[in-house]
Amino acid sequence: MKKITPTLPKGTRDFGPGEMKKREYLFKIFKDTFSLYGFNALETPSMENINVLNGKYGEEGDKLIFRILDSGDFIKDIDNIESKDSNNLRKEISKKGLRYDLTVPFARYVSMNRDKITLPFKRYQIQNVWRADRPQKGRFREFYQCDVDYIGTKSIVCEAEIIDLVYSIFEKLKIQDFSVKLNNRKVLFGIVETLSLQDNFDKICIIIDKIDKIGKDKFVEELKYIDLSKSQIEKLNSVLFFDGSNDDKIKFLKDFLFKSSTGLEGINEIENLTKLSKEFIFDINLARGLSYYTSSIFEVILDEKNIGSLCGGGRYDDLTEIFGYKDISGIGISFGIERIYEIMKERNLFPDSISKKDTVLVCSMSEKYLDDSLRISSILRNNNISTDLYPDNPKLKKQLQYANKNDIPYVIIIGEDEVTSKLFTLKDMETGSQEKLGIDEIISKVSS
Amino acid sequence: MKKITPTLPKGTRDFGPGEMKKREYLFKIFKDTFSLYGFNALETPSMENINVLNGKYGEEGDKLIFRILDSGDFIKDIDNIESKDSNNLRKEISKKGLRYDLTVPFARYVSMNRDKITLPFKRYQIQNVWRADRPQKGRFREFYQCDVDYIGTKSIVCEAEIIDLVYSIFEKLKIQDFSVKLNNRKVLFGIVETLSLQDNFDKICIIIDKIDKIGKDKFVEELKYIDLSKSQIEKLNSVLFFDGSNDDKIKFLKDFLFKSSTGLEGINEIENLTKLSKEFIFDINLARGLSYYTSSIFEVILDEKNIGSLCGGGRYDDLTEIFGYKDISGIGISFGIERIYEIMKERNLFPDSISKKDTVLVCSMSEKYLDDSLRISSILRNNNISTDLYPDNPKLKKQLQYANKNDIPYVIIIGEDEVTSKLFTLKDMETGSQEKLGIDEIISKVSS
C-alpha cells in the first residue's frame, strides 16, 4: 500500500486529551445548568434532506452548506450532463446536506413530532455544525453550537428565565465582565413606522445590525443608499442613539411611539421585563440579523473589548410554519461556545485539576510484579481512583518521566520489597517525597 | 416560501429527550470507566481527506464512505465530463469523506502527532460514524462507535487490563450473562502453517470468521472452494473445534504446534494471559475479519442468544505504518454501544430515576405571581434542584398534566395564600398528597 502523508481537511481540528478535558469541563457546565432550568437534551442527525436546509439561511448561506454526494451510480439518470453548470448538477447529485445550524433541525423536529411532545417544550442542543466558509483564525468549517429554546409559549417569563440562565452560566464559568443587551423588534418596527419608513423595515434592520461593525458614519451612508432623506436619517439617528437609563428610554419611546400600536406593545414588553428580570441594557439600536425574530432580541457581550457577541437570540412567531406547523411562538438563545472556550483559555479560567490525566501511576520494577501491579490497580479503581498502569518495565526513571509528562500526581512503585512486605512505595511527584504505605493508607491518602 | 413536509434522511434518527437521558447515562458509564483506567479522550473531525480513508476498509468499505461534494464551481476544471462514469467523476468532485470508523482517524492522529504524544498512549473515542449502507432494523447510516486503544506497547498487561475493563463496564451496566472469547492470530497461523496451508492464511481466516453466521457445514464447503483437500479440511476441523478447558486447549496446541515457532509464540501469550487475566474462553475458531490484527484477538458475546458480538478487538503491529510511522504496536477494543443500548432498553436496565425530566414544576395561579414563581425557581436552582417553571397561567389542571406527562415528581403551587403566608403548596404527584411548607422545608424534602 502506498504511504500517505497524514493531513487534516482545511478548517477542521483534532481535540487531543488536554483540549478534550477543557471542552468537556465547559460543555458539562452548560448541560448541567440547562438541566437545572428544565431544558431537555435533543440531538438531531448530522445530515438533513436538502429541502429542509435550502432557503433557510439566505442565498449566501445556501452556498456554505456542505453537501453529501449521492451514493452509488449517481450520474446514471442525468441527461446531457455536459450542458449543466455546477449549480444545476449539484441539485441532481447531492440530496442531503450537513447540519448548518441547530435552529432549522429543531424546527423540523418539533414539526415532525408535534403529536408526541408536550407544549411548552424546552430543549437544549449542543452539537457540531459545518460551514464551507473560508477558514481563518477562530473560524472553522466544523464547530460546535449550543442552543436553548422554548417553543409553544408567548410568556415574557421565558425572557426573564433566559437572562437568569445567562447570569447563572457566566457565574459558573467565572466570567464577570459581561452585559446583556436587549431590544424588541416591535419597538424597531414602531420607530420605523412612526417615521413612515415601514416599507423599508427589513432593509433598515439589516443596516442597524451592522452598526457595531461599520460605525455610525458608515451607517448613515448605507441609509442613504436605500433612499432615506437627510431629515429621516437624522430623526432615526436621534431615536436609535437616544442616551439614558432603561427607564429614560422607555419613557422617551412611550411618547415617541404613541401612534404605533406595535411599537407600544414592544415597549410594554420591555417595561414588564424590567420588573421580572435580572439586569439588562435596553439597547435601541440592537437589531440582530436573522429575519425570523419578531419580538424580544438580545445579545450578551464582553465589556472589555469588541470581540463580537458571546450569545445571541430572540423570540420568533413562526419558526415551524415552513414545515406546516403554524402559530407556534418560541424564544431561543445560542451560546457561542467556541468563542467562550477561547476566552476561558486566554484568561486561564479552567481549573488546574482538570488537566491531570490520572491520580495514580502504578510502576512495576520487573515483569515478575505485573501480576501484583494489576491487582493493586484493580483495588484502586474499585475505590474510584483513576489509575494508570505502566504496561512495560523500563527503568523507573522512564516510568516517572511518563508520570511527569502526563501530570500524574502520585506514583506507586512495586518491587520485591513491596510485594514481600505488602507496603508499597507512594511517591508524591510534586514534592518528590516518598513513603511506604499499606494499600488502605494509600487509598485514603490519594483520595483526599 | 413553499411549505415543506419535514422528513429525516433514510437511516438517520433524532434522539428526543427520553432517549437522550438513556444515551447520556450509558455514555457516561463508558467515559467514567475509561478515565478510571487511564484512557484519554480524543475527538477527530467528522471529515477526513479521502486519501486517509480510501483503501482502509476494503473495496466494499470504500463504496460505503459518504463523500462530501466539493464546494463552489466543482465541475469547472473537469474535461470531457460526459465521458466519465460515476466512479471516475466521484474522485474529481469529492475530495473529503465522512468518518467511517474511529480506528483510521486514530492512526492518522497518532502519526500526525508523534512528536507531541508520550508513548505508551491510551485513548478512548466515542463519536458518530457514517456508512452508506442499506438501512435495516438496528442498522443505521449514522451511529456511534466507542473505542479504546493502547498504542506503543507490546505488553500482555494491556490484554489483561482490557478484559478487566470489559468486566468493570458490564458490571456497571448490570449485564451479567456475557463471555469474553479470546484467540491469537499467531496460533491460527501456526495451525495453518503446520498443515502447510500458510499461503491461504488470509482466505482461511476470512472463512473461519464466518463460522458463527454460516454454520459448520457451510464452513467446510467454503474451504473446498479454496482447494483444500478432504484430509486437510478434516485435520483443520479437528484442531479448530478441539473441545476442552483453556488448559486442555493450551496443552493440546503446544504439542500440535511444536514445529511452528509463530504458533508456539501465540500459545505462550495465551498461557501467560491465563495467569494475569480475569476469566476468558480460549476459542480456537475465533478469527476476526479485520486483516490488521496480528496477535491477540477477542470478542465479547451474550450467552443468552446469538445476536452477534457486543465488543471486539485485537492487537495490531502496524496500524500507523501506512501514515509513515513504523513499528508501533498497539491493541484496541470497540464496544458496540448502539447494540448495548438496545439490549439495555429491552431488559429495562436504565434506572427509573433518569427518565424524570426535573424534580420540581413551579405553577403560578395567576400572572400576578410570576414574579414570585421566578424567585422561588431561582432559589431552588441555587440549591441544585432541577426546576421547571410553567411560563403561562392556564388552569392548574393543565399545568399538573404537564407535570405528569414530563414525569415531574413534585409541583409547587403559587397563589395568593402562598404569597401572603410564605408557605407554598407542595404536591407529591405520585401520591397526590399536598402540604404547605416554607421554602427551606421544600428544599430539604425534594432534595432527599
Side-chain angles (χ1 to χ4, degrees), chain A residues 46 73 86 122 142 155 388, chain B residues 46 73 86 122 142 388 391:
Chain A
S46 302
D73 192 358
S86 289
K122 298 164 75 173
E142 175 173 21
S155 169
D388 198 4
Chain B
S46 302
D73 192 358
S86 289
K122 298 164 74 173
E142 175 174 21
D388 198 4

Side-chain angles (χ1 to χ4, degrees), chain A residues 215-263:
Chain A
K216 211 168 153 183
D217 291 349
K218 195 100 198 295
F219 165 68
V220 169
E221 216 162 289
E222 293 219 7
L223 288 175
K224 286 181 195 157
Y225 288 129
I226 56 166
D227 290 331
L228 262 60
S229 70
K230 210 180 153 193
S231 99
Q232 283 171 321
I233 292 177
E234 268 171 24
K235 276 185 199 152
L236 187 61
N237 260 336
S238 73
V239 181
L240 290 180
F241 295 99
F242 178 88
D243 207 10
S245 69
N246 287 356
D247 287 345
D248 294 341
K249 287 175 188 166
I250 289 167
K251 194 159 170 291
F252 165 73
L253 282 165
K254 272 192 174 170
D255 289 343
F256 182 81
L257 296 171
F258 81 103
K259 272 189 187 157
S260 164
S261 62
T262 306

Side-chain angles (χ1 to χ4, degrees), chain B residues 91 151-152 196 309 349 355 374 379 420 425 440:
Chain B
K91 288 175 204 158
I151 203 154
S196 303
S309 61
L349 292 178
S355 71
L374 273 162
I379 295 171
T420 316
T425 302
D440 289 339

Side-chain angles (χ1 to χ4, degrees), chain A residues 361-365 373 389-390 396 399-400 411-415:
Chain A
L361 176 72
V362 175
C363 300
S364 327
M365 302 298 287
S373 301
L389 165 56
Y390 203 97
L396 185 60
Q399 300 190 47
L400 295 180
V411 167
I412 295 176
I413 300 161
I414 296 179

